[in-house]
Amino acid sequence: MKKPIDQFNVQVATIAHLGFAEELCGLYEESAKKRGTGIAKRDPAYIQEKIVQEKAIIATNANNELAGFCYIETWEGKNYVANSGLIVKEEFRKHGLAKKIKKFVLEYTRRKYPQAKIFGITTSLAVMKLNSDL
């Protein structure tokens, strides 16, 4: 029997995932309101750009529903790389999915930008702890 975490496919997002951009923006906005930060609003075009640039990681469930997401920012000729925008839909939390996404994005970032200094940007205490653990 599969463990709940094995039910999710974590991968580099492709153009097939562009349609999730609007839903993701809604998730970011909802999450920011719940946490009282108000800084997480994103535009669907921005999310789509990250997907097209192969700078986005997506998690889907067996029904190909959006479960989680994270993206990569680069600065100064790709010398500095940040993993940002980690989000997991509420109904898919408590299964270790955020950690699975973060591990994937970290490994992917190391392969894609081997010389870069990698860091995370977040306002979430839970994500800060996750970053520290990894």
Side-chain angles (χ1 to χ4, degrees):
M1 184 171 154
K2 282 187 173 183
K3 293 187 292 185
I5 192 62
D6 295 331
Q7 309 274 331
F8 298 103
N9 180 32
V10 177
Q11 65 183 44
V12 177
T14 68
I15 58 169
H17 300 112
L18 289 172
F20 288 121
E22 194 77 39
E23 182 179 1
L24 279 161
C25 290
L27 291 174
Y28 285 124
E29 191 169 353
E30 181 182 314
S31 176
K33 285 179 185 173
K34 284 183 180 178
R35 291 182 294 129
T37 60
I39 62 170
K41 190 168 175 113
R42 288 159 177 93
D43 185 86
Y46 177 79
I47 299 297
Q48 290 174 336
E49 180 182 334
K50 293 293 176 194
I51 292 171
V52 169
Q53 294 172 343
E54 296 179 338
K55 292 182 176 180
I57 306 304
I58 194 162
T60 54
N61 68 5
N63 296 324
N64 203 35
E65 295 172 295
L66 174 66
F69 191 79
C70 188
Y71 60 86
I72 297 167
E73 291 283 1
T74 57
W75 291 276
E76 293 190 26
K78 302 175 185 164
N79 288 322
Y80 297 93
V81 179
N83 301 319
S84 190
L86 175 66
I87 193 149
V88 174
K89 281 178 82 172
E90 224 168 307
E91 62 262 35
F92 300 122
R93 293 179 185 164
K94 308 286 187 217
H95 296 290
L97 182 55
K99 186 173 187 176
K100 187 173 181 176
I101 293 169
K102 276 301 246 188
K103 282 180 81 169
F104 187 101
V105 75
L106 184 59
E107 291 166 4
Y108 176 69
T109 302
R110 286 190 196 276
R111 283 193 317 271
K112 190 169 175 80
Y113 308 101
Q115 303 302 316
K117 290 179 178 37
I118 302 169
F119 56 97
I121 298 175
T122 186
T123 58
S124 164
L125 291 176
V127 177
M128 285 182 213
K129 181 180 179 338
L130 183 57
N131 287 342
S132 178
D133 290 349
L134 291 173

